[in-house]
Amino acid sequence: MNRVLAALCILAGVVMTLATPALAAPIDQASWNARKQQVKLANGITLSYIEMGDPRGKPVLLLHGWTDNSRAWTILAPHLMKHRLLIPDQRGHGASTKPACCYAISEFANDAILFLDAKGIAKADVVGHSLGSIVAQWIAAEHPERVGRVVLMGSTALAPMTRDHPLYREVLAFKSPPALGSDFMRMWSPAASPTPVDRAYVAHSEPEIASVPLQVWHGVMREIVEVTIGRFADQIRAPVLILSGGKDEIFPAEHHAALVEAFPAAEAHVFPDLGHNLNMERPEEVGPVLARFLKR
């Protein structure tokens, strides 16, 4: 009997190994920027981007948040390598063009569509975090034929910002971008997340956040204040996945509730211990949920 049980345990282990795909190796943070390519869009904006994963896989467009850049997806990307991942620095961020003006959500969304055009991609799944999730909603509503599935991480259907919010007043009072080591940067850094974020990621990310130009800090803030993001939700036909952090201080519980109300057919998950940067905090929790949704 013991031999039979032992054989069954070995067999179960083999089956589990076959059923669970091997996770890609962690992405080297030091070489990330050196891997970037550039493409000039039809509107004159040049976007830097990284393409990785399976070139024959389903295209997945990953859109980062405000003051982040494509690096924001390096923690989760190993869970998604069966797809063709397209990861741009959005305008004003990373190594992309940083125009003096024009940081409306519609501008970011138009850049994304022109980026897909430039890459010869007719349709893609769109995954957005924070600002990127707001852009994703605009794309899915305005260009439904270009979007397969939508993932909204650390997102909202409400107004992302109000004029009486301390962050609104603080950012618009900036005379220059916040300095490394400042109180604001300590609060804004991924290192301030409620669960630990990879140290190498933080070390590279913080100087990049500090290098975001003043017009991006001001321009995005002015465009999102008092604007209800979910006003186009009824025009989005693509399947939607909502991923929220239970300790998100930027978009707390009422924002998740508003998303669920705006997208009643959506699949929704709250990760109780995670904050706003749930794409960076615990990839072993968030990655499999995201991968399963995109696989369908």
Side-chain angles (χ1 to χ4, degrees):
M1 180 66 71
N2 288 339
R3 290 181 180 180
V4 172
L5 288 175
L8 288 173
C9 289
I10 292 171
L11 179 60
V14 170
V15 170
M16 185 172 292
T17 300
L18 292 173
T20 305
L23 189 65
I27 292 172
D28 177 56
Q29 297 295 332
S31 62
W32 183 254
N33 287 337
R35 299 171 65 174
K36 291 181 180 179
Q37 306 176 62
Q38 290 195 323
V39 60
K40 188 168 185 178
L41 308 182
N43 61 0
I45 293 290
T46 296
L47 292 189
S48 288
Y49 70 97
I50 285 180
E51 184 170 342
M52 62 194 317
D54 184 351
R56 298 168 298 178
K58 180 172 62 171
V60 177
L61 178 65
L62 300 171
L63 300 175
H64 62 78
W66 182 33
T67 74
D68 288 328
N69 59 63
S70 56
R71 185 185 299 278
W73 297 106
T74 53
I75 307 297
L76 271 182
H79 290 267
L80 307 175
M81 297 300 280
K82 287 189 173 182
H83 303 286
R84 180 186 177 187
L85 303 180
L86 300 128
I87 320 177
D89 295 339
Q90 298 197 77
R91 67 165 58 203
H93 299 79
S96 292
T97 301
K98 300 173 177 62
C101 76
C102 311
Y103 291 97
I105 301 305
S106 59
E107 296 285 356
F108 287 111
N110 186 52
D111 289 347
I113 291 297
L114 294 178
F115 174 70
L116 293 178
D117 289 345
K119 295 297 296 177
I121 296 170
K123 191 172 187 177
D125 291 350
V126 183
V127 181
H129 169 243
S130 196
L131 171 66
S133 74
I134 297 171
V135 176
Q137 291 183 58
W138 187 289
I139 296 169
E142 188 71 15
H143 303 278
E145 76 286 355
R146 306 295 298 271
V147 177
R149 291 177 166 264
V150 179
V151 180
L152 308 176
M153 305 180 67
S155 190
T156 185
L158 303 175
M161 189 55 54
T162 58
R163 288 186 173 85
D164 61 353
H165 196 289
L167 183 62
Y168 174 77
R169 296 192 296 269
E170 186 169 8
V171 168
L172 289 188
F174 287 169
K175 302 301 181 186
S176 60
L180 279 174
S182 65
D183 289 343
F184 182 91
M185 279 298 295
R186 280 191 289 272
M187 177 277 294
W188 195 253
S189 168
S193 300
T195 62
V197 174
D198 179 77
R199 290 183 181 181
Y201 175 86
V202 171
H204 287 86
S205 174
E206 286 185 338
E208 292 170 348
I209 294 172
S211 71
V212 172
L214 186 62
Q215 69 265 24
V216 179
W217 289 94
H218 285 175
V220 172
M221 180 62 83
R222 289 194 175 104
E223 292 291 347
I224 63 174
V225 68
E226 308 289 1
V227 176
T228 302
I229 300 305
R231 63 195 187 280
F232 303 134
D234 62 343
Q235 299 172 31
I236 296 176
R237 299 288 179 259
V240 175
L241 172 65
I242 302 166
L243 301 178
S244 301
K247 295 182 179 179
D248 188 337
E249 294 183 352
I250 295 179
F251 295 147
E254 60 268 25
H255 292 267
H256 177 82
L259 280 167
V260 172
E261 182 178 357
F263 299 101
E267 179 183 339
H269 296 264
V270 175
F271 298 87
D273 297 330
L274 306 189
H276 185 65
N277 296 316
L278 68 166
N279 56 321
M280 308 170 193
E281 293 183 51
R282 287 184 182 166
E284 70 278 7
E285 292 183 22
V286 179
V289 176
L290 176 57
R292 281 195 300 270
F293 178 78
L294 295 177
K295 184 179 179 181
R296 293 173 193 162

